């Protein structure tokens, strides 16, 4: 049985974070689980509340940070503590409905050359989320933002980006693993140094995927699933949209604008 760890980076929304933590504990019987909850200096007191919460399980460690370091740095805060075989990077809006982490970790370790994987994620109402993606290009990321409003050519490009022209009901290799739910070989994650700290938020998961692809293969494993609320609002928030543009610029400067292999 694989030794597993997991990390949730929280920023406000105490109730949602607690729901995620409790779902993981409820559905992960493994005594080897080490679950880290990192609070990114939440201004609403979420970190203080989490630190004072008795989850009734010694497998949980709460790490309140004094300031908001960003998504990637928040996750990197636990790197030196990890001694697992597989580490899960999870959003605070993830809910497990069954024992997913243990069998997914075993599957990852048993799959030759696989170093990173994501399960199939669903909205709370049961709708499928189109999260497995091809390698980003400027055009595909633009289409991703414009498709819901304008459709047409943008929707066609977004469907290609999210691999709607492929069979996603079976395990397959992908080029972009969502940071909402990642299963990573811990030794590889530590070897590459976790997330690039130059990203504060957005596109850091695409960057991490490209670095994992230098080490092995990245997979969609749809035989495993979880619920993901998916709070996606960069187009509705000017500040977040500017932050997303800055991260996109950093990504393309680093990795180029060419097409992926799939």
């Amino acid at each position: 049985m694989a030794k597993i760890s997991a990390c949730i980076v929280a920023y406000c929304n105490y109730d949602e974070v607690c729901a995620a933590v409790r779902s993981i504990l409820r559905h992960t019987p493994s005594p080897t689980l080490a679950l880290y909850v990192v609070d990114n200096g939440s201004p609403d007191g979420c970190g203080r509340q989490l630190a004072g919460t008795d989850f009734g399980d010694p497998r949980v460690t709460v790490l309140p940070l004094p300031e908001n370091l960003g998504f990637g740095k928040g996750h990197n805060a636990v790197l030196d503590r990890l001694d697992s075989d597989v580490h899960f990077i999870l959003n605070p809006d993830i809910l497990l409905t069954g024992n997913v982490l243990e069998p997914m970790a075993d599957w990852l370790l048993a799959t030759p050359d696989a170093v990173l994987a994501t399960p199939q994620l669903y909205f709370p109402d049961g709708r499928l989320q189109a999260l497995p993606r091809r390698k980003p290009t400027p055009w595909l990321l633009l289409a991703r933002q414009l498709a819901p409003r304008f459709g047409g050519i943008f929707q066609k490009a977004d469907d290609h980006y999210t691999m709607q022209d492929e069979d996603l009901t079976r395990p397959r290799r992908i080029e972009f693993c969502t940071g909402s739910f990642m299963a990573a070989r811990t030794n590889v994650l530590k070897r590459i140094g976790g997330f690039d700290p130059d990203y504060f938020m957005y596109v850091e998961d695409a960057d991490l995927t490209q670095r994992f692809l230098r080490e092995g293969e990245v997979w969609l494993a749809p035989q495993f699933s979880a619920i993901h609320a998916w709070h996606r609002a960069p187009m509705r928030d000017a500040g977040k949209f500017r932050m997303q543009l800055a991260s996109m610029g950093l990504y393309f400067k680093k990795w180029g604008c060419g097409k992926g292999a799939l």
Side-chain angles (χ1 to χ4, degrees):
M1 180 182 295
K3 191 174 184 180
I4 59 177
S5 58
C7 181
I8 294 172
V9 172
Y11 185 74
C12 302
N13 210 335
Y14 169 80
D15 290 337
E16 181 176 69
V17 177
C18 286
V21 170
R22 292 192 171 106
S23 79
I24 294 166
L25 297 176
R26 183 183 312 118
H27 295 293
T28 312
S30 172
T32 73
L33 171 68
L35 174 57
Y36 298 97
V37 184
V38 178
D39 180 76
N40 242 338
S42 296
D44 68 348
C46 178
R48 183 176 61 256
Q49 286 182 282
L50 288 169
T53 299
D54 181 7
F55 289 103
D57 196 313
R59 297 177 296 172
V60 181
T61 300
V62 177
L63 300 173
L65 300 179
E67 61 181 317
N68 187 358
L69 301 181
F71 180 83
K73 281 187 178 181
H75 278 286
N76 288 351
V78 306
L79 272 183
D80 291 341
R81 297 170 176 258
L82 304 182
D83 64 352
S84 56
D85 300 309
V86 175
H87 180 65
F88 289 86
I89 295 165
L90 304 172
N91 266 17
D93 57 356
I94 289 288
L95 288 175
L96 301 188
T97 58
N99 186 358
V100 173
L101 303 190
E102 292 177 86
M104 188 171 180
D106 290 338
W107 178 87
L108 181 70
L109 295 175
T111 303
D113 299 321
V115 292
L116 186 69
T118 190
Q120 178 58 64
L121 298 179
Y122 293 86
F123 288 103
D125 63 5
R127 289 178 296 128
L128 196 71
Q129 291 186 3
L131 283 174
R133 302 170 193 172
R134 291 184 163 88
K135 183 179 179 180
T137 67
W139 162 240
L140 291 176
L141 287 182
L142 176 64
R144 181 78 176 149
Q145 296 296 335
L146 298 180
R149 183 177 300 179
F150 299 108
I153 189 173
F154 302 112
Q155 188 61 59
K156 183 176 180 180
D158 187 47
D159 288 347
H160 175 73
Y161 180 40
T162 56
M163 304 180 69
Q164 299 304 293
D165 49 356
E166 301 283 353
D167 181 5
L168 300 179
T169 64
R170 300 177 181 179
R172 60 157 297 138
R173 292 169 55 201
I174 56 176
E175 296 175 326
F176 185 160
C177 185
T178 173
S180 305
F181 195 130
M182 290 176 158
R185 289 186 186 251
T186 306
N187 63 332
V188 177
L189 181 67
K190 296 182 77 169
R191 184 165 65 242
I192 66 176
F195 285 94
D196 184 337
D198 288 342
Y199 295 87
F200 183 79
M201 191 166 68
Y202 300 119
V203 200
E204 65 277 280
D205 50 356
D207 179 274
L208 187 69
T209 302
Q210 294 309 308
R211 290 160 60 215
F212 264 95
L213 283 169
R214 290 178 166 178
E215 305 289 332
E217 296 176 350
V218 177
W219 284 76
L220 166 69
Q223 68 271 38
F224 309 107
S225 64
I227 295 172
H228 177 216
W230 202 2
H231 304 309
R232 179 173 178 252
M235 284 295 287
R236 296 190 295 271
D237 185 304
K240 289 182 178 179
F241 185 54
R242 287 193 296 270
M243 190 183 302
Q244 188 179 58
L245 290 177
S247 292
M248 288 166 57
L250 177 62
Y251 176 88
F252 292 120
K253 182 179 179 180
K254 184 175 181 180
W255 296 103
C257 302
K259 295 182 179 180
L262 299 181

